[in-house]
Amino acid sequence: MTAPSLTPDEPAYLHGLNAPQREAVLTTEGPLLVLAGAGTGKTAALTARLAHLVATRRAFPSEILSVTFTNKAAREMRERVGRMIGPAVEGMPWLGTFHSVGAKMLRRHAELVGLQSNFTILDTDDQLRLLKQLIQVESIDEKRWPARQLGGLIDRWKNRGMTPAEVDAGESEHYANGKGQKLYAAYQARLLALNACDFGDLLLHMLTLLKTDREVLAHYQQRFRYIMVDEYQDTNSSQYLWLRLLAQERKNICCVGDDDQSIYSWRGAEVANILRFEKDFPGAKIVKLEQNYRSTPHILAAASGVIAENGGRLGKTLWTDEAEGEKVQVLGVWDGPEEARRVGDEIESHQRNGGTLDDVAILVRAQHQTREFEDRFIQIGMPYRIVGGFRFYERAEIRDALAYLRLVNQPADDLAFERIINVPKRGLGDKAVEKLHRLARAEGIPLTFAAARIIDTDELTPQARRALGNFVGDLARWRDKAAQLPHPELARQILDESGYTTVLQAERTVEASGRLENLNELVRAMEEYETLGAFLEHVSLVMDNEAQADERKVTIMTIHAAKGLEFDTVFLAGWEEGIFPSQRALDEGGLASLEEERRLAYVAITRARRKCVILHAANRRIYGQWTSSIPSRFVGELPRAHVDEESSMSGGASLWRANWSERADPFADVGRGTGRGPGWQRAQQAGAFSREPVRVVEARGSAVSLGNKGRDDMSVGLRVFHQKFGYGTVAEIEGNKLEIDFETAGRKRVMDSFVSPG
């Protein structure tokens, strides 16, 4: 299975390829795994291999199956191959995404699974509507067992290649006390009756046929002389089984991927698929692409140092011919707002030095982290774009919450009323809402007042009258509370009492968890404003400040969304335990999730071409409480020789850095395995996770002593000391908030637990 030697008259598609890339192109027979590290030119090798198979007439274009995950990747591959081999690329009908190829196959054999060839592919809304009907037939409480939860469960079963008959009692228990399997079977039957399928069926139906119909299997095994797969580390069980069946006859399968970039388990991806390639295909050849064309040596070494901590990996060492460049910068800051300010300052300096905003990205672990950066950039007039999602205040759940707050603040806000009159569902149909609008127009009054009137009439059904009456009563009660409660606490009560958070919690999906995190961040943002009105005014100004579409902008996105992209300068924010790695991931997935979080860190660092800045904050405001944070374990895994450290907290960053590096820190094993190991317990006992802020009070050798700052008696005129702002005098006191005139920093508003008598 050695690669053919090159001749002096080598084809153009081999020009510019390094030795391993050429080996991947020229090794055509037998199973081949191309282990391609970040930025190593795997797309160039993959497209050149496709061109080589056609140009050397090893196969007709229609005899090559080439699959990837996104339409964009498939389109790019087709365009690049077309430039290499010309019109012959048009004869490649089996080059596309898993789902597009699956749909093409399924339409040819639809009758074998009970469908017609013109079957409909349902979108998510249609799926949910159908599932709700089935749930209603079974008399299941949809509020307790949402249709979206069932849809997610069925999708996971399909990703694992499981038909209803293969779902056992244990799996079925995950929904409605054991009714999951029955509803899955009813759902599949209903799809057949509608001559429809969902996206999961496009592969599941064909997988079932390949396993049960020898004639169909033999047909495709003979048709596809060569099989090529991009991003193999992202395949789920269904895709894996589908590929393995198709490749068993000829075994000419080439899979390109990187086990260190497998970060989509929540979508069903199985990193084990790439790890067991040699077992699935004995005698397989492995070619490693390790020469990186993107990043500097310091950045690559930092990423390699982190990912080396993972046990479940095939292993490779990235290297580059690039100049050494800057070391990775690790920056410790006091809190989240300072993190946003510091990043803004760094970007402005980047601009002054001739850099452009398009060269810069801020990558976060969770979407709710974007809010403080957005607010800061609006404040300083820096244009930005959110990639892979909406701007914070444009997200649906944020708009819903703001509509509730606007309506409490201003009862005549009809637009807010219209948005949330039936969110969450209250049983108010279109006819009831239409009657409400008719009364409001006839009387010339706001919808809120019209609602209060119409519930005293017989115009609505008893159910609609009761639902609308409850809503009107809720609004009145919340307006009364607005005069008594701090507005952040009012927002929490509204979201809870309206049922909004309950609906999201019941979904039990990754998306719903993200929306809940966004709502928590919204409440946290409100704490920075004196009144509800002031906060709503701020939001209105932010949402009216959209920059021009063609203007250069800073990119803000999650690490997941950044995979496959690269930027000259990358800021990696929020590298603290509990944020990154995510505490929820550790709690739910243990060691496997920790390793995926570490792969995510590797992906994050390798997005940077020239400069990488990692930030961690000592304090975060969570659920209305200041919570102390310790740097992410991934910070401690960065190799010292390739990192520069800086801290705005009197040496705090270097102290933590030393402890993590030497592995002598008492918290060094926080979260290992289950995320609740002995190190976590020791950290908790020392106060690292308390609801009050902590500070480093002394360091002895490699150990850390922590002290909780107790609340001191404060009075106007008292001289105090703040770790960040220095000495000052208390000017005003409001509860546990102090206005302090600092000698060097000017007047600041701080919590009393952050200062001590000076």
Side-chain angles (χ1 to χ4, degrees):
M1 206 190 301
T2 57
S5 58
L6 299 175
T7 67
D9 301 322
E10 66 181 28
Y13 55 75
L14 291 177
H15 291 172
L17 299 183
N18 61 36
Q21 288 173 323
R22 290 176 181 234
E23 186 177 11
V25 171
L26 300 174
T27 303
T28 57
E29 307 308 306
L32 170 67
L33 176 62
V34 180
L35 197 60
T40 57
K42 58 105 175 172
T43 304
L46 189 61
T47 51
R49 192 175 193 275
L50 266 175
H52 181 67
L53 292 174
V54 175
T56 57
R57 301 192 177 183
R58 284 175 166 78
F60 289 111
S62 61
E63 295 176 321
I64 302 173
L65 171 63
S66 182
V67 289
T68 186
F69 279 84
T70 66
N71 290 314
K72 179 183 176 182
R75 187 166 54 249
E76 180 184 355
M77 190 179 300
R78 185 176 293 276
E79 291 171 353
R80 292 178 68 159
V81 174
R83 289 195 291 270
M84 295 177 182
I85 64 175
V89 72
E90 299 304 322
M92 303 185 78
W94 304 105
L95 190 165
T97 65
F98 276 98
H99 289 108
S100 67
V101 170
K104 187 186 294 288
M105 287 182 175
L106 186 56
R107 292 198 187 278
R108 297 186 177 196
H109 307 283
E111 72 283 352
L112 296 179
V113 298
L115 293 168
Q116 301 172 35
S117 60
N118 64 342
F119 61 79
T120 300
I121 302 173
L122 298 188
D123 61 21
T124 303
D125 287 344
D126 289 333
Q127 288 176 257
L128 289 176
R129 190 175 302 112
L130 178 54
L131 289 171
K132 287 179 179 179
Q133 294 171 2
L134 297 173
I135 290 169
Q136 187 175 17
V137 168
E138 288 294 315
S139 300
I140 295 171
D141 182 0
E142 210 256 326
K143 290 184 178 179
R144 183 179 178 189
W145 301 100
R148 195 175 296 275
Q149 181 189 348
L150 178 59
L153 187 59
I154 290 175
D155 186 57
R156 288 196 293 275
W157 286 334
K158 291 185 177 183
N159 286 341
R160 292 159 61 185
M162 299 168 65
T163 63
E166 294 168 311
V167 175
D168 60 27
E171 288 285 342
S172 187
E173 282 293 329
H174 290 138
Y175 184 84
N177 301 319
K179 292 187 177 181
Q181 189 272 345
K182 180 180 180 180
L183 286 165
Y184 180 18
Y187 173 67
Q188 292 301 97
R190 183 65 177 143
L191 286 175
L192 291 179
L194 294 170
N195 190 35
C197 62
D198 59 25
F199 273 87
D201 287 328
L202 298 177
L203 282 175
L204 182 64
H205 281 318
M206 281 310 304
L207 176 60
T208 302
L209 277 180
L210 294 177
K211 290 193 295 186
T212 59
D213 192 314
R214 292 187 178 182
E215 186 176 337
V216 172
L217 176 61
H219 168 76
Y220 286 107
Q221 286 180 336
Q222 289 301 311
R223 167 177 284 276
F224 298 134
R225 290 182 176 273
Y226 295 94
I227 297 175
M228 296 178 60
V229 189
D230 191 14
E231 304 285 10
Y232 188 60
Q233 78 280 350
D234 292 336
T235 53
N236 59 39
S237 295
S238 181
Q239 293 160 341
Y240 160 78
L241 293 169
W242 182 79
L243 288 166
R244 196 176 69 173
L245 283 167
L246 292 174
Q248 281 306 311
E249 180 68 22
R250 298 183 184 272
K251 294 185 170 58
N252 289 334
I253 182 170
C254 170
C255 294
V256 182
D258 183 3
D259 56 318
D260 290 336
Q261 296 188 73
S262 180
I263 58 174
Y264 295 116
S265 66
W266 47 279
R267 291 182 185 171
E270 295 277 359
V271 69
N273 295 344
I274 192 171
L275 297 177
R276 65 176 171 228
F277 187 84
E278 290 179 282
K279 182 178 179 181
D280 288 335
F281 299 99
K285 183 171 187 176
I286 296 184
V287 174
K288 296 184 179 181
L289 304 186
E290 298 175 300
Q291 183 175 1
N292 179 280
Y293 295 95
R294 175 188 300 158
S295 306
T296 64
H298 283 308
I299 291 172
L300 293 181
S304 297
V306 171
I307 199 63
E309 295 291 322
N310 270 4
R313 60 189 297 261
L314 297 172
K316 60 189 171 304
T317 304
L318 298 185
W319 61 276
T320 181
D321 286 332
E322 294 287 326
E324 193 173 61
E326 296 182 39
K327 292 184 178 182
V328 172
Q329 184 179 4
V330 176
L331 179 58
V333 296
W334 179 252
D335 57 16
E338 184 182 346
E339 180 182 58
R341 287 194 299 272
R342 186 59 188 269
V343 170
D345 291 347
E346 293 274 345
I347 295 174
E348 288 180 324
S349 175
H350 170 80
Q351 284 183 290
R352 287 193 295 271
N353 293 330
T356 68
L357 297 184
D358 285 346
D359 295 335
V360 180
I362 301 168
L363 306 186
V364 296
R365 175 62 181 86
Q367 284 194 344
H368 69 86
Q369 292 175 257
T370 71
R371 202 275 307 168
E372 281 183 336
F373 292 103
E374 293 187 61
D375 278 1
R376 178 60 181 169
F377 290 176
I378 291 295
Q379 184 180 2
I380 63 177
M382 181 173 291
Y384 68 92
R385 66 169 66 86
I386 300 290
V387 175
F390 294 103
R391 289 171 172 243
F392 183 81
Y393 292 110
E394 293 172 353
R395 292 165 187 161
E397 65 276 10
I398 300 301
R399 283 184 175 269
D400 290 342
L402 289 172
Y404 274 102
L405 295 170
R406 285 164 50 193
L407 198 55
V408 169
N409 189 62
Q410 173 50 267
D413 191 334
D414 280 358
L415 293 176
F417 186 97
E418 289 174 346
R419 183 177 183 91
I420 48 89
I421 179 58
N422 214 24
V423 178
K425 297 291 185 183
R426 296 187 173 86
L428 290 169
D430 292 341
K431 289 184 178 180
V433 175
E434 183 182 340
K435 290 178 180 178
L436 183 59
H437 274 276
R438 192 181 304 127
L439 176 61
R441 287 195 301 270
E443 298 290 335
I445 57 177
L447 288 170
T448 305
F449 302 152
R453 288 192 188 181
I454 204 170
I455 57 177
D456 290 330
T457 72
D458 294 329
E459 290 193 48
L460 303 181
T461 65
Q463 179 185 356
R465 194 161 60 245
R466 183 167 53 252
L468 188 58
N470 290 337
F471 181 56
V472 169
D474 286 341
L475 288 174
R477 188 178 69 259
W478 294 329
R479 288 192 194 102
D480 289 341
K481 287 187 176 181
Q484 307 163 15
L485 293 176
H487 51 283
E489 180 59 29
L490 174 66
R492 290 191 190 92
Q493 288 199 15
I494 291 174
L495 291 169
D496 289 342
E497 293 174 3
S498 67
Y500 200 98
T501 54
T502 302
V503 169
L504 291 177
Q505 289 165 349
E507 282 188 23
R508 303 173 199 173
T509 63
V510 173
E511 292 79 8
S513 295
R515 289 194 284 272
L516 286 169
E517 288 176 347
N518 290 338
L519 291 173
N520 288 329
E521 179 61 20
L522 175 72
V523 174
R524 202 209 69 72
M526 295 175 67
E527 296 166 2
E528 301 174 14
Y529 297 85
E530 291 291 336
T531 65
L532 176 57
F535 172 70
L536 292 173
E537 180 178 313
H538 162 76
V539 172
S540 298
L541 294 173
V542 167
M543 295 179 72
D544 191 46
N545 206 50
E546 176 65 53
Q548 295 297 317
D550 58 351
E551 188 177 5
R552 293 184 182 274
K553 304 172 185 176
V554 176
T555 298
I556 307 176
M557 63 201 312
T558 64
I559 303 171
H560 282 101
K563 187 171 178 290
L565 304 179
E566 57 187 66
F567 303 88
D568 275 358
T569 300
V570 173
F571 295 92
L572 306 178
W575 279 43
E576 299 132 37
E577 288 292 303
I579 294 180
F580 191 39
S582 159
Q583 193 60 54
R584 185 176 71 244
L586 297 182
D587 290 343
E588 295 176 359
L591 181 59
S593 286
L594 174 59
E595 295 213 339
E596 179 157 329
E597 291 286 292
R598 189 174 281 114
R599 293 193 292 269
L600 199 55
Y602 170 84
V603 168
I605 297 171
T606 55
R607 299 311 94 195
R609 289 191 288 251
R610 297 288 173 261
K611 183 174 182 177
C612 180
V613 181
I614 297 172
L615 300 103
H616 60 87
N619 304 282
R620 293 278 179 187
R621 189 98 178 196
I622 301 175
Y623 304 117
Q625 299 288 332
W626 279 106
T627 304
S628 59
S629 304
I630 60 174
S632 168
R633 71 195 68 201
F634 304 147
V635 171
E637 293 166 358
L638 295 166
R640 282 177 141 182
H642 303 282
V643 172
D644 276 335
E645 298 171 272
E646 181 184 344
S647 173
S648 62
M649 300 172 295
S650 61
S654 58
L655 172 66
W656 281 113
R657 180 70 186 92
N659 291 323
W660 278 113
S661 298
E662 299 300 326
R663 293 293 190 273
D665 177 52
F667 311 149
D669 60 345
V670 171
R672 292 194 185 275
T674 64
R676 287 292 186 266
W680 185 91
Q681 296 167 8
R682 291 196 295 273
Q684 188 181 48
Q685 292 166 4
F689 304 130
S690 69
R691 286 300 185 183
E692 291 294 322
V694 299
R695 62 187 175 96
V696 177
V697 293
E698 66 176 86
R700 295 191 181 95
S702 59
V704 176
S705 298
L706 296 175
N708 275 331
K709 294 189 69 175
R711 181 171 178 171
D712 300 293
D713 291 332
M714 294 291 165
S715 59
V716 173
L718 181 67
R719 181 176 168 81
V720 295
F721 176 80
H722 187 281
Q723 187 171 351
K724 176 181 177 182
F725 302 123
Y727 288 95
T729 303
V730 177
E732 296 180 21
I733 300 176
E734 180 184 344
N736 62 347
K737 300 180 182 68
L738 307 177
E739 291 279 345
I740 300 176
D741 290 323
F742 289 100
E743 295 172 357
T744 58
R747 178 166 288 202
K748 301 289 182 182
R749 186 177 177 86
V750 302
M751 304 286 287
D752 60 5
S753 56
F754 281 84
V755 299
S756 57

